[in-house]
Amino acid sequence: KNQVEQSPQSLIILEGKNCTLQCNYTVSPFSNLRWYKQDTGRGPVSLTIMTFSENTKSNGRYTATLDADTKQSSLHITASQLSDSASYICVVSAKAGTALIFGKGTTLSVSS
Amino acid sequence: ETGVTQTPRHLVMGMTNKKSLKCEQHLGHNAMYWYKQSAKKPLELMFVYNFKEQTENNSVPSRFSPECPNSSHLFLHLHTLQPEDSALYLCASSHDSSSGANVLTFGAGSRLTVL
């Protein structure tokens, strides 16, 4: 069964600190993996998209990594800001067809 | 704004009411989607339209009825809903739903409460 598991479910960090969010998936055959950020009361916004051959991709203070062998991805946030408080959703696309498999998300709270 | 506009942002309705959610995209995309987002659950795909043709109906109850008059507009007609249908309904668009690499652009969502 195609599944995407994210951890932790929620996280609280102090402003300025770094953090790493995890995503494990069992989707096969794999096409690509995306990370979305969803602010409260808004729709998800794409942060990164990575294919099988990409190991790392950065978007400002956000760096995503992908290990296709272990089927794991991480999203590292550097020097966190209050505006980073949001839900971060990992989404995996299967190669056959267009189905996107969504994780439940990690809720990040950055406090001052 | 993402280029995908949803109205209304909030809706409260009784189980016997009929209402509609509207979605409009100004991105020149050809595919539009309805997703349901409930607390503590992953986004659930409801419907997909590609070039105005419905390509996916993910076993959605008939009390939800989609309409896609053109590639820029998508509606979700609601009637005789149940309290468990209360959720955030997200509209999204992409260049072409047949491509596995297409990136979805989401609207801000319509928060629905069924009393």
Side-chain angles (χ1 to χ4, degrees), chain A residues 89 100-104, chain B residues 33-48 56 58-61 64 76 84-91 104 106:
Chain A
I89 303 172
L100 297 177
I101 297 92
F102 288 78
K104 292 182 181 180
Chain B
Y33 311 73
W34 279 118
Y35 281 90
K36 177 183 179 182
Q37 187 175 34
S38 304
K40 310 289 187 186
K41 297 174 77 173
L43 268 72
E44 301 172 50
L45 179 65
M46 300 176 72
F47 302 103
V48 181
E56 192 151 350
N58 205 22
S59 302
V60 180
F64 294 92
L76 188 62
E84 60 264 28
D85 296 322
S86 298
L88 181 68
Y89 288 85
L90 290 163
C91 174
L104 272 60
F106 286 89

Side-chain angles (χ1 to χ4, degrees), chain A residues 31-37 44-51 54 57 59 89 91-93 98-100 102, chain B residues 2-4 25 27-33 35 50 91-107:
Chain A
S31 176
N32 59 72
L33 183 146
R34 311 115 184 265
W35 282 94
Y36 281 86
K37 178 188 179 188
V45 175
S46 178
L47 291 175
T48 64
I49 177 170
M50 292 190 292
T51 59
E54 296 176 295
K57 182 165 279 189
N59 179 356
I89 303 172
V91 186
V92 180
S93 175
T98 60
L100 297 177
F102 288 78
Chain B
T2 63
V4 179
Q25 57 96 0
L27 302 170
H29 288 164
N30 299 301
M32 297 189 77
Y33 311 73
Y35 281 90
N50 204 34
C91 174
S93 70
S94 71
H95 178 67
D96 181 343
S97 69
S98 63
S99 168
N102 73 99
V103 177
L104 272 60
T105 300
F106 286 89

Side-chain angles (χ1 to χ4, degrees), chain B residues 62-82:
Chain B
S62 59
R63 57 185 184 270
F64 294 92
S65 174
E67 179 189 1
C68 188
N70 54 62
S71 293
S72 299
H73 294 84
L74 183 65
F75 296 89
L76 188 62
H77 303 300
L78 317 169
H79 65 97
T80 58
L81 294 190
Q82 304 298 311

